[in-house]
Amino acid sequence: TTSTSSTSSTPQPNAANTIRNVLVVDDNTINLKVFSKMLEKLNIKHTCVNSGRMAIEELERQEYNVDLILMDVEMPEMK
């Protein structure tokens, strides 16, 4: 028996072309800088804030949709 596998030439979506706006939330300045540099290299628009309260304010005033939120799990103000 002979089997043939077909490969699709249609490009598959990936994070770099489906995520356009990221909100990064962390109270650690170094982490914010690392995430910012990584997202810059991927040409992804991003906003960095250093508290949960600021993240909520940013989401309320933004005129565009956020596709992804990267947030520290232990934000002091959010407990």
Side-chain angles (χ1 to χ4, degrees), residues 2-56:
T2 326
S3 68
T4 51
S5 62
S6 65
T7 57
S8 174
S9 61
T10 306
Q12 297 299 312
N14 61 42
N17 65 17
T18 57
I19 296 175
R20 294 187 177 98
N21 297 300
V22 176
L23 176 61
V24 183
V25 188
D26 201 317
D27 55 345
N28 183 310
T29 307
I30 294 171
N31 290 347
L32 289 176
K33 288 180 183 179
V34 169
F35 275 115
S36 184
K37 288 293 181 188
M38 290 171 57
L39 293 169
E40 283 174 12
K41 287 182 181 181
L42 294 170
N43 293 320
I44 295 176
K45 182 179 176 182
H46 60 283
T47 303
C48 295
V49 295
N50 62 6
S51 75
R53 194 173 313 278
M54 288 178 68
I56 292 169

